Amino acid sequence: MKNKILVTGGAGYIGTHTCIALHEAGYEIVVYDNLSNSSREAINRVSTLIGQPIEFIEGDIRDAESLKQVFLSHHFFGVIHFAGLKAVGESVAKPLMYYNNNVSGTITLLEIMAKFNVKNLVFSSSATVYGDPESLPIDENSPRSCTNPYGQSKLTVEHILEDLAVSDDSWNLIPLRYFNPVGAHPSGQIGEDPNDIPNNLMPYISQVAVGKLAKLNIFGNDYQTIDGTGVRDFIHVTDLAQGHVAALNYLERQVAPVGFLPINLGTGKGTSVLELVTAFSKVSGQPIPYQFADRRAGDIASCYASADKAKNLLEWQAKLSITEMCQDSWRWQSMNPNGYTVT
Ligand code: NAD
Ligand code: UD1
């Protein structure tokens, strides 16, 4: 058995997939989640997939006393910190809730980690910290800026981590900047389960394909891109999960602290909205009716990663194709039309 890892937000979309990857890589895991955007059913399914019960603690990262108890009863090598709120529109309406959860919650977690001398952190950052990129592909030294409270909360946490690394050179702090995570576990048992109508493209397409939503609105067909629609770097969630295992393996290999080390997790390839719609329709055999609509406020034309740093340092690269992303999203959606809700 390898090191023990605390996984905050481990009941969520990316967290559940990462728990499976960590277990397969031999890590012992403890999941800490307040279930504000997830369910016990997700944890049950992960337990079934790995063939043993997962150690799950229901708790909030803003609750220092509860976190302290967790650290008192476990000896962790490090923390993978997924816990956070992630809806851009909601963050504009409720900025205090987002800063409180994502920023204050992370500060509380870091304070407890410092107290228990656990100095290895892998943090869920986002390509959103690059704002409207000046050049493509986007590498880790690109300028950062954000236009909404969600993005600002991620950028603020990155600044806090940078300051922390300067103040004390024994920290190892890796913000992984995710591009656009999509897809689901190949078993069809776990996947993305958005509340209400999805904001993001892949879950929206899946729900049109399964007949829950009538039509996709494509936000803008006049961008300077291959076909006028937005271009993104879609990455399969199981590849993303492996990126976290690679980050931990990297930290285990180090003889000196790494400080603040941001790393992109993307494929390095851009795919347009229309290309994704076409691929999904082909894979599912379902028509995806769509109409062009106005551009969505805050959207950018194109965004894709330079994936070189992850390849060179972490010895990790994404393997799965757009077709596999669509196949797995479709399997999850068609097997679980209501997500984790059993009706
Ligand atoms: P998710 O909502 O499915 O998972 C987040 C989990 O954190 C949920 O299970 C939720 O219940 C839990 N949580 C939230 N606040 C908490 C708190 N205060 N205490 C304890 N648990 C709490 O989201 P996800 O898609 O799995 O994203 C995971 C992380 O990655 C988030 O921080 C998100 O901002 C970031 N991220 C996601 C994407 C994406 O497209 N999904 C892209 C970039 C970055
Ligand atoms: C969005 C967030 C980003 C967040 C990421 C993952 C915004 C402005 N950005 O990124 O901060 O990190 O999700 O949660 O919200 N599209 C449609 N129709 C739809 C939905 C999307 O055409 O119904 C288009 C968008 O205009 C965009 C592309 O699909 O061109 C991808 O959109 P989405 O999946 O929401 O991701 P991002 O906008 O890249």
Side-chain angles (χ1 to χ4, degrees):
M1 188 60 83
K2 278 204 194 167
N3 283 316
K4 195 185 270 193
I5 308 297
L6 178 66
V7 185
T8 75
Y13 170 47
I14 304 170
T16 45
H17 292 83
T18 304
C19 285
I20 291 173
L22 289 169
H23 172 81
E24 285 169 354
Y27 288 98
E28 212 178 318
I29 50 177
V30 175
V31 170
Y32 186 85
D33 197 303
N34 67 358
L35 301 181
S36 58
N37 195 36
S38 50
S39 63
R40 274 179 193 278
E41 177 61 13
I43 292 290
N44 294 341
R45 294 199 187 182
V46 173
S47 298
T48 305
L49 285 168
I50 67 174
Q52 66 183 65
I54 235 176
E55 180 158 2
F56 172 65
I57 298 156
E58 187 171 344
D60 195 296
I61 51 165
R62 292 164 296 181
D63 183 344
E65 195 46 47
S66 161
L67 273 179
K68 197 173 134 198
Q69 291 308 320
V70 176
F71 278 74
L72 273 174
S73 44
H74 298 275
H75 177 68
F76 294 117
F77 168 76
V79 178
I80 303 190
H81 177 32
F82 294 108
L85 301 173
K86 63 167 182 176
V88 173
E90 186 184 51
S91 80
V92 174
K94 299 175 180 172
L96 295 181
M97 185 168 107
Y98 270 67
Y99 288 119
N100 180 261
N101 201 81
N102 295 4
V103 180
S104 302
T106 302
I107 293 173
T108 303
L109 173 67
L110 290 166
E111 284 171 342
I112 299 290
M113 289 176 69
K115 194 174 273 183
F116 285 86
N117 202 30
V118 177
K119 299 280 183 76
N120 297 314
L121 177 81
V122 176
F123 168 65
S124 298
S125 190
S126 167
T128 195
V129 301
Y130 295 120
D132 195 351
E134 283 170 11
S135 60
L136 293 164
I138 307 171
D139 72 30
E140 288 80 354
N141 297 319
S142 304
R144 289 172 292 167
S145 69
C146 285
T147 53
N148 60 69
Y150 164 70
Q152 198 61 50
S153 75
K154 292 289 171 190
L155 189 48
T156 303
V157 169
E158 286 206 5
H159 288 314
I160 291 169
L161 299 181
E162 280 176 277
D163 291 343
L164 192 58
V166 170
S167 74
D168 170 354
D169 64 10
S170 64
W171 284 93
N172 300 293
L173 303 163
I174 303 190
L176 294 176
R177 295 178 181 151
Y178 311 153
F179 280 67
N180 288 61
V182 296
H185 192 265
S187 64
Q189 292 302 309
I190 57 169
E192 189 169 10
D193 184 16
N195 294 326
D196 307 326
I197 296 173
N199 294 310
N200 296 119
L201 181 61
M202 186 64 111
Y204 203 107
I205 292 176
S206 315
Q207 293 198 12
V208 171
V210 86
K212 282 182 80 176
L213 294 169
K215 197 184 272 188
L216 171 72
N217 282 308
I218 296 184
F219 300 136
N221 63 346
D222 56 353
Y223 286 110
Q224 294 287 320
T225 60
I226 177 173
D227 54 23
T229 66
V231 165
R232 296 293 183 272
D233 186 341
F234 299 100
I235 174 167
H236 198 296
V237 66
T238 61
D239 273 335
L240 197 74
Q242 292 300 337
H244 294 74
V245 175
L248 283 179
N249 291 342
Y250 174 78
L251 289 179
E252 287 173 334
R253 287 198 299 276
Q254 299 313 300
V255 284
V258 303
F260 175 79
L261 185 67
I263 303 181
N264 288 342
L265 291 186
T267 67
K269 284 195 270 302
T271 301
S272 77
V273 173
L274 266 181
E275 286 172 330
L276 192 70
V277 169
T278 305
F280 198 100
S281 184
K282 199 170 163 196
V283 158
S284 63
Q286 303 297 317
I288 315 282
Y290 64 80
Q291 64 192 14
F292 292 116
D294 289 345
R295 292 181 177 191
R296 184 171 67 178
D299 271 357
I300 54 177
S302 296
C303 174
Y304 52 91
S306 160
D308 293 347
K309 192 171 177 185
K311 189 176 176 194
N312 295 334
L313 288 186
L314 305 186
E315 298 168 8
W316 168 93
Q317 65 190 118
K319 295 196 181 88
L320 300 172
S321 65
I322 288 287
T323 299
E324 289 161 305
M325 299 179 209
C326 293
Q327 276 166 342
D328 291 334
S329 293
W330 175 236
R331 188 178 302 108
W332 156 252
Q333 181 69 64
S334 45
M335 284 171 68
N336 308 271
N338 298 312
Y340 291 115
T341 311
V342 183
T343 49

